[in-house]
Amino acid sequence: MSRNKLLAFIISTLALLSGCQSMADEATIGVPGRVVNTDRSIIILNASLNGSGVSGTGGQECCMSIPAKWKPGMTATLSWTKDPSPDINPDGKSAPVIKNGISTPEWKAWMANHRKNYRTIEKTIPLPKYGETCGVTFIFLPCDGIRIVIDCDEKYSLFKDLPGGKEFYAELARRAGGAKTCR
């Protein structure tokens, strides 16, 4: 392993460990993670639980680290980065058109300004109870609500018989306890 790769590995390991205060000295397991965004007005860029996370692309990714066994009183640091206005810059300008899939200098300049919109939110939450796990599912709800699902039975009951199409996200948000109006 090259010196740079070793240094990067050590730094990333230390960063991961520093976010796990409440889970220190716990045996962990690797599980897949997935982001489901029910708030269609924003984009979730990434989400993590104690520094172990996934991108916001919506597909299942490997791997996150969680305690092998849930215990009462466990907490976790939940963090996510969102784009609250995907098509508008802080100065009110819309994104320029990309032609033939090629980033233009105008688009690159727009994106450099657009990143100022991004917001990172961090919360300490009780780690939800789980027995058998199917991974970590981050369900993003309207008004910065979020529900973490780790237990297989809970995930199955939330996602069972969801309608397709436009109703999918609204029904999932309702089942997951999402707010109907923001305060």
Side-chain angles (χ1 to χ4, degrees):
M1 182 180 293
S2 75
R3 183 176 176 181
N4 288 343
K5 286 183 181 179
L6 179 59
L7 183 59
F9 173 77
I10 291 170
I11 289 170
S12 64
T13 301
L14 289 174
L16 177 63
L17 293 175
S18 69
C20 300
Q21 296 93 9
S22 76
M23 299 183 332
D25 300 323
E26 295 290 332
T28 60
I29 56 173
V31 296
R34 179 178 187 198
V35 166
V36 179
N37 181 12
T38 69
D39 185 347
R40 309 317 290 163
S41 69
I42 66 170
I43 292 176
I44 301 298
L45 301 167
N46 57 59
S48 67
L49 200 61
N50 287 336
S52 180
V54 293
S55 72
T57 57
Q60 188 164 288
E61 296 177 28
C62 187
C63 282
M64 295 182 61
S65 180
I66 63 170
K69 294 196 182 276
W70 179 85
K71 294 178 186 165
M74 290 180 118
T75 61
T77 301
L78 172 63
S79 177
W80 69 96
T81 303
K82 71 175 187 174
D83 181 347
S85 54
D87 299 321
I88 304 293
N89 263 353
D91 58 11
K93 292 183 180 174
S94 297
V97 176
I98 297 177
K99 296 179 182 175
N100 300 322
I102 299 171
S103 299
T104 62
E106 295 81 18
W107 186 85
K108 289 177 183 178
W110 186 88
M111 269 312 292
N113 188 28
H114 185 74
R115 287 186 182 92
K116 295 174 190 172
N117 286 339
Y118 295 176
R119 300 288 175 259
T120 298
I121 301 168
E122 188 173 287
K123 296 180 181 181
T124 299
I125 61 165
L127 196 62
K129 185 176 181 178
Y130 58 93
E132 181 182 347
T133 180
C134 296
V136 176
T137 302
F138 298 89
I139 303 174
F140 288 90
L141 305 165
C143 312
D144 288 329
I146 184 167
R147 174 134 176 221
I148 304 299
V149 179
I150 302 175
D151 186 78
C152 283
D153 290 338
E154 181 183 11
K155 182 176 179 181
Y156 177 73
S157 69
L158 273 173
F159 284 85
K160 180 182 177 190
D161 298 327
L162 280 171
K166 291 181 180 180
E167 299 303 314
F168 176 87
Y169 294 106
E171 177 59 17
L172 180 57
R174 186 195 67 75
R175 289 182 188 187
K180 292 184 183 193
T181 60
C182 300
R183 290 182 238 156

